[in-house]
Amino acid sequence: MNRATYRNYYPHQGDGSGRRNMNQRQHRQQQNQQQNSHQNSHQHQNQQYKDRNTNYYLEKPSIYNNFVNPTKIWNDSVSTSSPVTLDVNHSYPQRRFSPQPSINQSQSQPTQPQTLISNPSLQSTRKPMSPRNQTSQQQQQLYSNKRYNDNDYSNHYIHTGEQPSKFVRNVKNPVEGYPKLQRLFQLKERQTQAYACTPFGSRCEVDNMVPTLKKWINKDQLVFDVIMIGSLTENQFIYPLLTQLPLEKLCSKPGFLFVWASGQKINELTRLLNSDSWAKRFRRSEELVFVPVDKNSPYYPNKDSQDDESLFEKMQWHCWMCITGTVRRSTDGNLIHCNVDTDLNIEDEDLNNEENKNLIVPNHIYKVAENFSSANRRLHIIPSRSGYNNPVRPRRGWVIMSPDIILDNFEPKRYKDEILEIGVNVPQDSEIENLRPKSPIPRNSNLNQTTMAH
Amino acid sequence: MIDFQLISFLKDHHRLLINQPINGCIYTIFTLFKNQYNGGIEYEEFIKKLNLLIKIDPFIIQFRSNTNQEEIEFINTLNLDILLQKLNNSNEISNPIIKKESSTSQLDQLQDLLKPNNNPDLIKLYSLINYTSTSTKLSKEKLKFTTPKYPFIEICNNQQHIHLTKTNTQCFQTKIHFIPLIKNHTDASLGDCSYLDTCHKMDTCRYIHYQKHIPQEYLNSVEQKCNEFNSTIIKNQKTSFWNINGSTATISRPVLPPQWINCDVRKFDFSILGKFAVVIADPAWNIHMNLPYGTCNDTELNSLPLSSIQDEGIICLWVTGRTIEIGKKALVNWGYKVSNEIIWIKTNQLGRTICTGRTGHWLNHSKEHLIIGIKGSPNWLNKNLETDILVSGTRETSRKPDELYGMMERLVGPHARKLEIFGRDHNTRFGWFTIGNQLKGNQIVEHDVLKRYETSKMRG
């Protein structure tokens, strides 16, 4: 690159105030240095793998540094063969790096406009031309220069149709590689099972649900700590249920609510849960997401909710976790165990074939509720017909209300007696207390919540 | 030999076969028939079978012209029905309205009810609901040929292979393996380090760390294959006539180089930039955590003049926790309709979801939400080509996966104008305009934008 073209390239490098006064020698030295450093960095980057922190664009030095200058391209390749002429003297602003990257705008701004205005050529610049031969070259480089560092699963999906979530490696055992957590999950499950009540079912038509629940509240004075509403189906009547039901009477304080909302219902329910009266009583605290493994999964949501407006194929089920009353994650260890589970679950295909087949709610989500709250009084209301494809099965420790539940054995008195026997909460266990993730004890006033603990 | 399949095929699809676009063309019918029954039937054989039918009953099929038997004008289903009944040795002619009770015992009837695929109306309904439009199919097919292929190497999930390493040659040479780095201070019983490759105390940390082993030879061959494929892309783009978001003229135009403006987004005059097809914003939400960068409060974000930046198009907003709702409200404020939500499943060095480290308040967070708003009715979008799940590894704090750019480029087309707000240096990208306060300097290539920028500077 000779100096003339260099000047064309960077007509007013820097902010103009410092570098323009630079004498020729300095200029040349700097030019050499810059060229060398470009070459070096290029070689260097070809030799070794990029670590994932490198700038995405520096990985393509050949395009990036030899920035396309339309004027130059015009001169080099097109001007001889084309009847149209381009005024070469009109230089084209390419890279204007301010000498110091300034984050504070108010300080750096005054210097820039001066540069811009003081350069008269800028005001009459022409639109850059785009010769065809350059197009193919440039795009070719654009496509082929991405060096391998990690798999691009979205790209892979385009070419093969294999879902990105298929490649997540800990679907079968989310805590793979963490023996302490594995032990914790084992203990938690054992404990939940030990204190779980008989699986109860209450078969009840959707229209009849609110009266029945009202009877439970007023006559039998039943209270539940964990209430799940809805399931993995689209045709649910959650909204009427939520608006008609005095939920704060059915739910203890503190209590936990899990509401399934997906597809078309999500906006309607969002509005309800955001309304003042609701937001005051139930704070939306987490959003759980369940992802079916592929399109053949029984949990694939598109079957009955395909939507022409949708930009992407929907593959998610959302479940909101709401909290009512006051719980503190640092001090209420007898009530809640925080950070045991994650807010994401990917369907495990193999598990699905055995015990998890076509459940109305995946086992994992039940477990999240069980692991989070130590309460034993759990209710699941399914305000929809689920059909023979998704049978509603009873679960130990839960009362399930649905028009399609296999069992219909719920009696308020029997339930109350049973709870009296096992207790409202699971007792604390010293080993679980040792193993479970806990909030750090604040050493100073400036508590840093992002600190991660092993 | 009379072909029952052929009779039922003609009977079931008689309307389809005669009407547009098939118009009763014999050869097309033959191909359709062949596809439907996966048979290795030859054309001559097919014609023979058809002639046999005509021989039995000359009124079954009527051709356009008697001499040239290439186009069918009419298929007589009643006659086909009669023929089918006769062949089945039953004298009963089925009444199209009253369905025949096929099963006798009560148990059979019950099982019939339980079979979801037994009811023809249900099947029709299912096929209507699950119908994929031809434009989607074509677009998907086109994407396969015009999207650059990147090397892809699967990660071996066999627990045993970690210990066998070199001996297990076949798998070791074609898949990525993670080799545990056992040092003197490592205590293998503790399990994996939560930070893995990002651990700051690698020299003293007693948890297990891993080294990624990429089969180099295999990678080279994969890369070569990808490059070979990628070199055909430009040709493919030009030959494809199916274009939902890009006229043929734009294909020969280069993608614009990265452009960026360093500015305080909160005070920036968005009218300088013009209109965009897609906008990505990753605001530094104030989520009451000590973060290594300045945050932006909710009212500031809500008052951004984003309503003027698009006439129609889509906007993507990264949100987290409580800001999911604020973000949705802001989108509605700016005149958008919330249409989708993309989930970024965050993975660690080992390709597993992140499940440790108290990353959320009540539960651990192993995903992030990106809400997508749509404005107007942009019919130039390449809809429904990808799923709303994105799996990608985590990088520096708050750095989002690059896969999103690809997804958006495929959605709006390569030459649509794309804007990223609150971007940093690593966000600048070919075809994209980036603004944010942590960018180094400016680079503007589009001249109208440059002119407007200069005049706004001149005014002060």
Side-chain angles (χ1 to χ4, degrees), chain A residues 49 52-53 56-57 63 67 92-98 101-103 105 109 112-113 117 122 125-126 128 130 135-136 138-140 142-144 146 148-159 163-164 167-170 174 176-179 181 270 274 284-289 291 295 303 306 308-316 318 323 327 329 336 338-339 341-344 372 388 438 440 446 450-452 454, chain B residues 114 116 129-130 140 143-144 147-153 155-157 159 176 189-193 195 207 212 216 219 223 227 229-231 233-234 237 252-255 257 262-264 289-290 314 324-325 337 339-341 343 345 350-353 355-358 360-367 372 381 383-388 391 393-395 402-403 410 428-430 437 440-443 445 447 450 454 458:
Chain A
Y49 273 127
R52 46 175 50 221
N53 299 341
Y56 188 83
Y57 273 96
I63 328 169
F67 185 76
Y92 179 62
Q94 293 299 346
R95 311 179 99 195
R96 278 174 280 154
F97 287 113
S98 48
S102 48
I103 287 162
Q105 258 298 306
Q109 263 179 348
Q112 284 179 347
I117 300 158
L122 278 180
T125 37
R126 270 179 79 155
S130 47
T135 313
S136 56
Q138 186 206 348
Q139 291 201 337
Q140 203 65 69
L142 206 66
Y143 292 149
S144 58
K146 185 171 177 177
Y148 184 77
N149 175 39
D150 233 328
N151 289 330
D152 185 328
Y153 296 110
S154 302
N155 185 271
H156 187 68
Y157 176 72
I158 292 290
H159 289 286
Q163 295 291 340
F167 297 97
V168 175
R169 289 179 66 224
N170 58 343
E176 202 177 328
Y178 302 106
L181 282 174
T270 304
N274 280 350
R284 223 189 304 170
S285 309
E286 296 284 357
E287 190 158 346
L288 297 167
V289 166
V291 178
K295 281 180 194 167
K303 272 179 200 148
Q306 212 183 27
D308 287 343
E309 295 287 291
S310 177
L311 302 172
F312 296 96
E313 291 171 43
K314 285 180 183 162
M315 283 287 273
Q316 315 159 5
H318 287 242
I323 299 180
V327 276
R329 65 170 185 172
I336 51 165
C338 295
N339 301 104
D341 282 286
T342 69
D343 57 358
L344 172 81
F372 181 72
Y388 48 78
K438 284 185 283 286
N446 192 7
T450 48
T451 320
M452 295 209 281
H454 278 298
Chain B
L114 281 176
I129 289 170
N130 292 331
K140 266 192 178 173
L143 266 194
K144 261 186 208 172
T147 312
K149 216 182 236 181
Y150 298 139
F152 183 88
I153 304 177
I155 300 171
C156 168
N157 227 354
Q159 286 290 307
I176 289 174
S189 68
L190 291 174
D192 300 347
C193 175
Y195 303 101
Y207 292 82
K212 190 181 194 174
Q216 194 58 49
L219 173 66
E223 267 183 346
N227 286 342
F229 172 82
N230 293 345
S231 63
I233 284 176
I234 287 164
Q237 270 178 343
S252 53
R253 208 167 72 189
V255 174
N262 176 320
C263 63
D264 187 339
M289 296 217 312
N290 290 341
I314 53 170
I324 294 178
E325 285 321 307
K337 197 183 131 205
S339 81
N340 279 79
E341 207 165 329
I343 299 291
I345 298 176
L350 304 179
R352 295 176 180 154
T353 58
C355 62
T356 61
R358 297 185 18 266
H361 194 81
W362 304 105
L363 299 172
N364 282 339
H365 290 178
S366 33
K367 53 148 173 67
I372 300 180
L381 291 175
K383 283 181 197 171
N384 267 322
L385 300 182
E386 286 172 76
T387 52
D388 51 5
V391 176
T394 51
R395 297 184 288 186
D402 287 336
E403 281 88 337
R410 291 189 283 268
T428 57
R429 208 183 140 94
F430 270 78
N437 66 354
K440 289 194 187 74
N442 304 322
Q443 170 162 293
V445 176
H447 273 232
L450 185 65
E454 280 157 10
M458 269 195 287

